[in-house]
Amino acid sequence: MKRSDNRLQVVRHIIFAALIVFAAVVQQTDFFFSSVGGARLFLLVPLTVAIAMYERSMPALFLGLFAGILWDSASVTVDGFFAVLLAATGFICCVLVILKLRNNIFSCLLLSFLSLFAIVTFYWLLFYVIKGYGSYGYVYMKYYFSSAVYSMLFVLPVYYLVRAVFRMTAPERKRINY
C-alpha cells in the first residue's frame, strides 16, 4: 500500500467519524425530523451498516463501537449496551458483505432492516418486558417498531452519502486494457 493510499484511508476514517458524530447529535437532540409522534430516529444504525459495507472488519468494528459509545453517552440505559450492539452490527455486516452479500443498496436495506429490528426488539425485551410494565404489544408497535420503520426511511440517503465518501477517498486503480 502506498503512502498516499494510507492518507486517503485516514481521511476516510476521519470523515466517517465526523458523520457518526453528526448523526449522534441529530439522533439525540430534538430537531425538526428527529421524532415523529412516538417514533424516534435511530440514524446511527443505518450509518453503521453503510460504513461497515465499505470498510474492512476492524475499522467497521471500531467505528460501530464509536457510534455506540456516542449513543450510550446520551442514553439512560446500561453503559455499553449500544456500544456492544453497534460494534457487533458493524463487524457482522462487514463480514457478511465480504463473504456472502454484494455491496449494493438492496444489501444495505436488508442489513439495516435486520439490524434495526434486532436492536429495538432486544432493547424492548431487556428494558421493558423483563421489568414487567405491561401493554407489551401496544408499546412495541407505537414506540419501538415505529422507530425502526421511521429510521428505514433514511437508509437510502445514508448509503449514498457513505458511498460518495468512499469513492472520493478510494485509491486510484490502474486500468488494464486488453
Side-chain angles (χ1 to χ4, degrees):
M1 192 182 273
K2 291 185 207 174
R3 186 176 200 144
S4 63
D5 292 347
N6 285 336
R7 287 182 185 165
L8 288 174
Q9 190 174 24
V10 169
V11 168
R12 181 173 61 238
H13 291 160
I14 290 170
I15 292 171
F16 284 159
L19 284 174
I20 289 171
V21 169
F22 177 74
V25 168
V26 168
Q27 178 175 314
Q28 299 300 331
T29 57
D30 289 327
F31 284 124
F32 63 95
F33 61 88
S34 65
S35 65
V36 174
R40 299 277 308 162
L41 177 62
F42 299 143
L43 195 57
L44 287 171
V45 177
L47 183 61
T48 300
V49 169
I51 289 172
M53 291 179 72
Y54 282 99
E55 285 294 335
R56 293 185 177 156
S57 58
M58 292 311 285
L61 182 131
F62 284 115
L63 287 168
L65 181 68
F66 178 61
I69 288 170
L70 289 178
W71 195 348
D72 279 330
S73 68
S75 177
V76 295
T77 61
V78 178
D79 288 336
F81 178 78
F82 291 112
V84 169
L85 287 179
L86 287 181
T89 298
F91 183 78
I92 290 169
C93 290
C94 174
V95 169
L96 283 173
V97 168
I98 290 171
L99 296 178
K100 293 290 180 188
L101 298 174
R102 292 182 181 213
N103 190 350
N104 58 26
I105 189 63
F106 300 112
S107 297
C108 187
L109 285 168
L110 174 69
L111 291 173
S112 294
F113 175 80
L114 293 174
S115 300
L116 277 165
F117 285 101
I119 288 172
V120 299
T121 303
F122 193 54
Y123 185 88
W124 172 73
L125 284 172
L126 284 179
F127 298 107
Y128 193 82
V129 172
I130 289 180
K131 293 189 178 187
Y133 289 127
S135 300
Y136 303 126
Y138 173 76
V139 170
Y140 182 77
M141 294 305 287
K142 180 162 176 60
Y143 297 107
Y144 297 99
F145 182 77
S146 62
S147 295
V149 169
Y150 180 52
S151 300
M152 283 298 295
L153 297 175
F154 292 87
V155 171
L156 292 174
V158 165
Y159 175 78
Y160 286 118
L161 177 66
V162 169
R163 187 173 81 169
V165 169
F166 182 79
R167 286 186 177 178
M168 287 185 336
T169 58
E172 293 287 327
R173 304 272 187 224
K174 291 184 180 178
R175 291 189 179 177
I176 299 173
N177 296 325
Y178 292 103

